[in-house]
Amino acid sequence: MPEKITVSDIDRDEAFRYMAAEGYTPEGALADITEECEKRLLAAVRPVYTYRVLPIESKDDSGVVLPGIVLPGKDITELLAGCDNAVLMCATVGAAVDALIRRMQSEDMAKAVVTDALASAAIEQVCNKFDILLAEKYPDRYFTFRFSPGYGDLPLTVQHELLGVLNASRLAGITLDSSGLMLPMKSVSAVCGMSGSPLERKKTGCAFCRMKDNCSFRRKGVRCGF
Amino acid sequence: MSAVDFKKLLDENEFVILDGAMGTMLQGMGMKPGEIPELYNIEKPEWTEKIHRSYIDAGSMIVYANTFGASRVKLASSGKTPADVIPPAIANAKRAAEGRAYVALDIGPIGQLLEPSGELSFEEAYDIFKEEVIAGRDADLIVIETMTDLHETKAALLAAKENSDLPVLCMMTFEENKRTFTGCAVSSAALTLEGLGADAVGVNCSLGPDELYPVVEEFVRWTHLPVIAKPNAGLPDPETGEYHVTPEEFAESAAKMARLGVKIFGGCCGTDPDYIRALCRKLSELKYVKNEHTIPAAVCTPENTVVIDCPRIIGERINPTGKKRFKEALKSNDIDYILSQAVEQSEAGAELLDVNVGLPGIDERDMMIRTIKAIQSITNLPLQIDSTDPEVLDAALRVYNGKPIVNSVNGEEKSLKTILPLVKKYGAAVVGLTLDENGIPKTADERFAIAEKILSRALEVGIKRENVFIDCLTLTASAEQAGVKETLRAVYRVKHELGLKTVLGVSNISFGLPHRELVNCNFLQMAMVNGLDLPIMNPNVPSMTGAVRAYKLLMGIDENSVDYISHYGNDDNAPAPIKIVNAENSLDLGGAVLKGLKSEGARMTAELLRTTPAMEIVNDILIPALDKAGAMFESGKMFLPQLILSAGVAQAAFEEIKKKIAEESGEPVVKGTVVLATVKGDVHDIGKNIVKVLLENYGYRVIDLGKDVDPQRVVDAAIEYDVRLVGLSALMTTTLGAMADTIALLKKNNVNCKTVVGGAVLTPDYAEQIGADFYARDAKATVDVAKRIYG
């Protein structure tokens, strides 16, 4: 039985960063709304995750081969350099969060926007806790950062197989719609590498992101965290 | 196999034994991960036959044909259809069975989410399941399993019941919190699926048998149908994918469930014939325990079961009778207004909502379907479907997710004959009005007699007693003063002599009298004392909702006054008088918009409307304030949530203006009409909805086509409403193609309008490349485009 992940408070700084309001502390009507949204969100959040640790069978410039799935692209090959295993994971804060955001859109659009950003922060917190659990479970191993379909040249189309290998619909309630988007919306799927020896920290940041030319964060002079 | 044969199987055996996993076994024989198991029905028929035989040898009385994923959606990539893979699957199983076991058509989830979270409509889901049911007609029975969405389960069960005569077993998958991944409660699953005519209900997959024990315990409390338990052999190991509960442990845990009253057992992921053998051995030592719990009167949505064990408020506001603003909303397809009424009532304390959208000149059936879907997407209050038209009721009962109330049947022969069969078919509860061909009887005794008649007729068609609620009818006190006591006495008799739940529309009592609230409130109290369970009333009147809460406190229903104190213990929540703003500190409406003060904004608008024309308020106050907010947003002095807060105040102000205009039957304020849509394949619509709020508050009428919108619908709407601007939104790179298709189709049809596009991944270059006229980087920019077009 995997360890439970819980979320007891939301990283508001992170959420305001998603609203392109980095460093802003809400006041007045917005402070009241943020308070209410956080409370209602926490009541709806129900983190679920699942993962598989799979041996890397082979890799070259075209991608990485694991049992039951090929991860195409150069970026994933670079990420997994020096690794013998890949960890596939997916996590969600659950369907009730989608329902809450939908409901908020009928109540008050501002609440919906704030809740949406708080929920994005919440799923990120779940993923960070997953990283910690993984490191605790394998104390002698080293891990790369998490890399998701859609990052770099790892195509979104790999989602189908990735979630299939994870048996995500049965074990985490995560499905894909016909465009390959995950539902519930506040879900993450990712791959990270596992190695017996220390790994060089890979390049991250805007310069390496394919979104850099049209990024709403960059336009406002802030960063998403990639 | 007929329903009679199934009953015989249940009667002749202490326990009925299903099979174990199919996928696990196929993988053991060499199927690779990612392969479609159903193709093995054709390619390796001897494999599935062998697996079935090993289960039957181990003691399975029913085996599942290898059809779990045989929907056209899951088979799409293989080029095969359900008709290709299902008949051979059943033939393989029958060959293995040789009459020793029954063969079930196995129906699993489609694998895509239904609306409102996903794209698939209820009707499409029904169609997909129907195809499987028809292809599987040679099976002996049907099992629907591993479901997490009650709506999808309902679609499958309806498809099974309407396209075959086979017995149907229904199983859903629950987590440790006794809910499915989509939030469906055990009680809601049991109430809904039993109502819809399942022959057995229960749980499969998800967890190991010990973790499922509390789920099964809950199931048994909510149904008298045979209960099924088909757990996994524990949870899979993340490294090996293997399951760890042994056959003996599995059987021991099953034995515990047998003591709860479970009748039908089997195994899911990770189990094999050894588990079935161990199960049979262990269960042979035990006797079936008949489930004799009393099932309470209750209605539900997937997330929320409302037990009618004390007064529960049915909100009456979703009804056009006597409401000009509501009629206007129905005529202009303004679902958002209807939703605002749902939200307001649920916040005020309604526990159920009556839904009536009947109005001459509109398509009531279509409106009812859309309204129910929309309301269920934003609240989890059970609904009371209110219509006099059986066709409307049928359509509404079909799409409703959960167990609703039908309002209403009455003692007239025609009504009894048409309405009760619908109530039975869809497993609803029903309100019986105590009137008949001769109208409303004067005395309580005559109304009681009609209630008795309605009850007996309901029982005759198979509706359970606890699902019949009686409305003894409120007459107007000013016109028929003596009638009040008769109504109350009828309520008392129905409640205490027939033991049925009672309903009353409360507000009618005071018609034509001054200070109606006083009369309503007192009548409500008297009715509750006499046994009223379900007052249909306006929950937005604090004294009325307060009367129900006070009643529950005084009768000891609200233990330790917890609910009462939570509502009134804090001064802020008490029904307070409207604050009088000190003139010196008072804000103007523009200031309220900028500060995001919604209720103040609405109040100020209402006051201004007494002296100022609506258009002047819009042009001279609201729009300049929004412009100022927009400028502050663009210069980084205001952030997105604040901009939307300001828009929300303007929205509240507009609502006051619309109300006033509807009362005066004047022309609505419209600067121009814009069609908005999130494109085909994309269900992320929050960005589009932000744009909508801003546009509406600048005085534009928005035709909101929603999300996942087919290009043709955009074209049709652009032509129908003769718009000069269409706005399209897409969030992901994968759906940009659909945006291009939509623009191309608009051009192909020579629709005389401009297009504005936006969304997270969109760039000005791409917008130009796909032929869009404008690119908008945010909601404010879209308003600027609309201003350029319409002024």
Side-chain angles (χ1 to χ4, degrees):
Chain A
M1 194 74 172
E3 290 278 333
K4 279 250 172 305
I5 289 181
T6 55
V7 176
S8 51
D9 54 65
I10 310 279
D11 184 346
R12 290 192 187 183
D13 293 344
E14 182 83 359
F16 275 90
R17 213 152 56 77
Y18 292 138
M19 288 184 271
E22 188 165 23
Y24 173 73
T25 308
E27 49 192 41
L30 189 55
D32 295 346
I33 281 186
T34 308
E35 196 68 37
E36 181 196 337
C37 291
E38 178 169 342
K39 207 167 138 198
R40 289 171 69 183
L41 177 65
L42 285 172
V45 163
R46 188 174 172 272
V48 189
Y49 70 98
T50 187
Y51 70 102
R52 291 293 304 269
V53 178
L54 297 173
I56 295 173
E57 290 178 346
S58 69
K59 56 180 175 251
D60 58 34
D61 268 359
S62 66
V64 179
V65 180
L66 307 172
I69 182 170
V70 177
L71 302 169
K74 275 188 187 164
D75 290 335
I76 192 71
T77 311
E78 272 177 32
L79 178 82
L80 299 181
C83 298
D84 44 23
N85 280 278
V87 181
L88 312 188
M89 65 83 70
C90 64
T92 180
V93 288
V97 173
D98 284 11
L100 178 66
I101 294 171
R102 208 159 49 227
R103 155 86 180 222
M104 295 268 197
Q105 293 185 51
S106 285
E107 275 180 35
D108 186 332
M109 204 62 207
K111 285 186 196 170
V113 168
V114 171
T115 306
D116 189 76
L118 288 168
S120 296
I123 182 62
E124 196 51 35
Q125 286 170 258
V126 171
C127 292
N128 291 339
K129 288 193 180 174
F130 169 78
D131 292 346
I132 293 168
L133 286 179
L134 196 65
E136 282 172 1
K137 187 163 180 198
Y138 300 95
D140 304 329
R141 310 280 274 157
Y142 299 88
F143 298 92
T144 68
F145 66 86
R146 272 180 279 113
F147 201 79
S148 293
Y151 283 13
D153 65 355
L154 184 63
L156 264 182
T157 47
V158 81
Q159 285 283 38
H160 199 78
E161 285 162 280
L162 179 59
L163 295 183
V165 169
L166 286 167
N167 202 1
S169 69
R170 280 208 192 193
L171 297 177
I174 300 174
T175 59
L176 290 177
D177 69 11
S178 60
S179 309
L181 309 181
M182 278 186 285
L183 296 169
M185 292 199 204
K186 301 300 174 188
S187 302
V188 162
S189 66
V191 182
C192 69
M194 192 196 235
S195 170
S197 48
L199 292 157
E200 196 188 318
R201 183 85 186 150
K202 289 293 178 308
K203 290 163 186 165
T204 56
C206 299
F208 300 93
C209 177
R210 80 196 161 84
M211 290 290 296
K212 65 171 186 280
D213 294 328
N214 185 57
C215 172
S216 56
F217 288 107
R218 278 164 62 83
R219 270 203 311 252
K220 308 267 178 202
V222 293
R223 289 183 42 201
C224 75
F226 171 66
Chain B
M1 183 181 190
S2 65
V4 177
D5 297 331
F6 182 66
K7 191 165 179 308
K8 218 168 113 193
L9 180 73
L10 293 170
D11 289 345
E12 287 175 353
N13 295 283
E14 212 60 49
F15 298 100
V16 171
I17 309 297
L18 308 171
D19 61 7
M22 168 62 72
T24 310
M25 298 288 284
L26 281 172
Q27 276 169 18
M29 293 169 95
M31 184 180 77
K32 303 254 178 327
E35 284 192 272
I36 296 177
E38 288 72 22
L39 298 183
Y40 279 75
N41 297 328
I42 309 167
E43 287 158 14
K44 300 269 187 200
E46 64 281 6
W47 285 21
T48 51
E49 190 179 328
K50 190 175 164 198
I51 295 168
H52 292 313
R53 189 167 288 123
S54 66
Y55 278 124
I56 296 164
D57 290 344
S60 296
M61 302 169 190
I62 294 172
V63 291
Y64 292 11
N66 181 28
T67 57
F68 178 80
S71 70
R72 65 176 179 240
V73 174
K74 284 197 169 169
L75 290 174
S77 64
S78 71
K80 298 281 185 220
T81 66
D84 295 330
V85 302
I86 291 177
I90 291 167
N92 296 341
K94 289 221 158 165
R95 263 199 317 282
E98 295 174 307
R100 295 182 299 151
Y102 290 105
V103 171
L105 168 69
D106 183 10
I107 296 181
I110 296 168
Q112 285 186 3
L113 283 193
L114 265 66
E115 296 168 339
S117 292
E119 304 158 289
L120 207 60
S121 71
F122 177 80
E123 294 78 5
E124 284 170 303
Y126 174 89
D127 219 46
I128 289 165
F129 289 125
K130 178 179 171 184
E131 195 179 5
E132 290 175 70
V133 169
I134 290 171
R137 59 185 169 275
D138 290 336
D140 299 313
L141 71 160
I142 297 173
V143 295
I144 294 164
E145 62 161 347
T146 327
M147 292 287 181
T148 60
D149 178 354
L150 186 60
H151 216 196
E152 184 178 0
T153 317
K154 175 173 178 176
L157 181 50
L158 267 184
K161 299 288 291 183
E162 292 180 346
N163 299 284
S164 89
D165 299 320
L166 302 177
V168 189
L169 280 50
C170 264
M171 279 153 274
M172 294 183 77
T173 289
F174 294 85
E175 300 303 300
E176 275 174 307
N177 64 351
K178 295 194 264 186
R179 287 181 180 262
T180 67
F181 279 130
T182 64
C184 177
V186 172
S187 50
S188 298
L191 288 170
T192 305
L193 300 175
E194 174 165 356
L196 286 164
D199 295 278
V201 291
V203 45
N204 79 304
C205 202
S206 23
L207 303 166
D210 284 339
E211 294 86 12
L212 274 190
Y213 184 88
V215 175
V216 170
E217 195 175 28
E218 178 86 358
F219 239 113
V220 173
R221 285 184 49 215
W222 287 98
T223 182
H224 284 150
L225 290 177
V227 170
I228 313 160
K230 202 172 190 280
N232 289 346
L235 280 174
D237 181 285
E239 280 186 59
T240 59
E242 281 167 7
Y243 294 81
H244 292 302
V245 175
T246 66
E248 287 67 34
E249 291 164 348
F250 187 87
E252 281 300 328
S253 306
K256 284 186 217 149
M257 291 188 194
R259 291 181 195 111
L260 288 174
V262 175
K263 176 77 180 178
I264 303 172
F265 287 92
C268 200
C269 306
T271 62
D272 61 27
D274 288 340
Y275 289 78
I276 300 304
R277 217 167 280 120
L279 196 58
C280 291
R281 218 168 23 236
K282 185 71 204 177
L283 291 176
S284 68
E285 302 162 6
L286 302 174
K287 289 265 175 225
Y288 169 57
V289 185
K290 196 167 162 37
N291 171 15
E292 280 164 333
H293 293 274
T294 308
I295 315 273
V299 291
C300 68
T301 59
E303 306 82 12
N304 180 20
T305 297
V306 174
V307 180
I308 323 286
D309 54 358
C310 65
R312 308 271 186 201
I313 297 170
I314 302 182
E316 68 179 5
R317 303 293 296 166
I318 302 177
N319 190 322
T321 312
K323 301 188 194 84
K324 285 187 176 165
R325 177 68 184 92
F326 200 101
K327 284 180 187 164
E328 173 55 37
L330 285 179
K331 281 185 200 147
S332 60
N333 271 319
D334 185 357
I335 293 268
D336 287 343
Y337 178 78
I338 301 175
L339 291 186
S340 74
Q341 300 293 301
V343 167
E344 189 181 16
Q345 294 184 90
S346 87
E347 283 176 350
E351 294 188 80
L352 303 104
L353 298 175
D354 187 271
V355 178
N356 183 323
V357 292
L359 187 69
I362 71 156
D363 181 347
E364 185 188 349
R365 183 177 175 279
D366 179 61
M367 193 65 186
M368 182 63 101
I369 292 173
R370 290 194 297 132
T371 302
I372 287 178
K373 285 185 175 180
I375 292 178
Q376 291 211 286
S377 78
I378 59 131
T379 114
N380 56 25
L381 300 189
L383 303 183
Q384 172 163 285
I385 300 164
D386 186 355
S387 175
T388 50
D389 183 343
E391 268 185 42
V392 173
L393 288 175
D394 188 306
L397 287 165
R398 233 182 146 69
V399 300
Y400 180 84
N401 192 2
K403 177 185 174 187
I405 304 174
V406 169
N407 187 12
S408 57
V409 69
N410 63 49
E412 284 181 61
E413 198 52 37
K414 189 174 156 222
S415 171
L416 293 164
K417 273 194 176 141
T418 51
I419 306 296
L420 291 178
L422 286 175
V423 172
K424 165 65 184 156
K425 176 180 175 186
Y426 293 105
V430 64
V431 172
L433 306 184
T434 51
L435 57 84
D436 61 15
E437 287 84 351
N438 305 314
I440 303 173
K442 282 228 177 313
T443 68
D445 294 342
E446 290 167 289
R447 291 188 214 172
F448 181 82
I450 298 176
E452 275 185 312
K453 176 180 168 190
I454 293 171
L455 174 63
S456 84
R457 295 290 291 271
L459 294 171
E460 268 172 39
V461 302
I463 298 168
K464 289 189 175 178
R465 193 181 185 92
E466 66 262 24
N467 290 332
V468 180
F469 309 159
I470 296 295
D471 185 339
C472 295
L473 299 168
T474 304
L475 303 179
T476 304
S478 58
E480 295 187 60
Q481 208 166 2
V484 180
K485 274 189 282 181
E486 294 302 318
T487 300
L488 292 173
R489 208 162 71 83
V491 169
Y492 185 89
R493 288 198 63 193
V494 167
K495 177 70 176 273
H496 296 95
E497 293 175 34
L498 293 180
L500 299 184
K501 301 300 174 189
T502 61
V503 185
L504 272 185
V506 176
S507 318
N508 248 358
I509 193 77
S510 61
F511 198 76
L513 289 171
H515 205 346
R516 292 186 63 182
E517 196 176 322
L518 188 60
V519 179
N520 289 347
C521 215
N522 278 287
F523 179 65
L524 172 62
Q525 287 290 9
M526 292 162 81
M528 286 189 289
V529 170
N530 277 284
L532 173 62
D533 299 292
L534 296 165
I536 305 177
M537 53 176 253
N538 181 356
N540 306 327
V541 178
S543 63
M544 294 290 281
T545 310
V548 175
R549 293 196 181 114
Y551 174 85
K552 288 186 193 174
L553 180 153
L554 296 171
M555 295 300 285
I557 297 162
D558 177 10
E559 266 181 63
N560 301 320
S561 320
V562 173
D563 183 58
Y564 186 87
I565 291 168
S566 81
H567 282 96
Y568 304 115
N570 179 345
D571 274 345
D572 291 350
N573 291 337
I578 295 167
K579 271 188 236 160
I580 308 294
V581 181
N582 183 332
E584 278 168 51
N585 300 334
S586 78
L587 282 162
D588 58 1
L589 179 55
V593 169
L594 286 171
K595 284 223 155 95
L597 303 172
K598 201 172 190 171
S599 45
E600 282 84 346
R603 186 179 53 76
M604 287 179 203
T605 310
E607 268 168 34
L608 273 172
L609 278 167
R610 290 194 204 139
T611 53
T612 319
M615 214 55 215
E616 218 167 277
I617 298 176
V618 174
N619 285 331
D620 298 347
I621 304 175
L622 289 175
I623 290 183
L626 282 171
D627 279 341
K628 195 167 173 200
M632 287 169 75
F633 171 69
E634 279 179 341
S635 62
K637 287 188 192 127
M638 195 185 242
F639 298 112
L640 181 66
Q642 293 160 309
L643 176 67
I644 297 164
L645 263 178
S646 293
V649 182
Q651 191 175 24
F654 260 99
E655 199 40 61
E656 291 297 324
I657 291 171
K658 281 186 197 166
K659 218 162 46 186
K660 172 100 173 173
I661 289 171
E663 275 163 20
E664 292 167 356
S665 307
E667 280 299 304
V669 180
V670 178
K671 299 191 135 193
T673 304
V674 181
V675 165
L676 284 187
T678 300
V679 299
K680 183 82 194 157
D682 206 327
V683 293
H684 297 77
D685 61 351
I686 192 164
K688 183 255 314 167
N689 292 339
I690 293 171
V691 171
K692 175 181 170 184
V693 169
L694 273 190
L695 281 173
E696 285 184 338
N697 297 320
Y698 269 89
Y700 298 100
R701 178 185 180 205
V702 173
I703 308 297
D704 180 6
L705 301 180
K707 57 193 178 183
D708 185 27
V709 179
D710 194 74
Q712 189 61 47
R713 275 190 60 210
V714 176
V715 172
D716 294 345
I719 293 169
E720 182 186 345
Y721 295 98
D722 192 21
V723 297
R724 281 156 59 196
L725 185 63
V726 169
L728 300 173
S729 153
L731 184 82
M732 306 293 284
T733 43
T734 44
T735 52
L736 284 177
M739 183 177 269
D741 294 346
T742 308
I743 293 176
L745 198 65
L746 282 166
K747 296 204 160 148
K748 196 178 149 202
N749 285 277
N750 294 318
V751 182
N752 184 22
C753 70
K754 302 281 187 197
T755 49
V756 55
V757 296
V761 297
L762 218 67
T763 62
D765 289 347
Y766 189 80
E768 196 182 331
Q769 190 189 320
I770 61 174
D773 298 297
F774 300 97
Y775 162 77
R777 59 188 237 170
D778 52 36
K780 172 69 177 53
T782 314
V783 172
D784 294 339
V785 170
K787 278 188 188 165
R788 273 177 67 175
I789 306 253
Y790 286 109

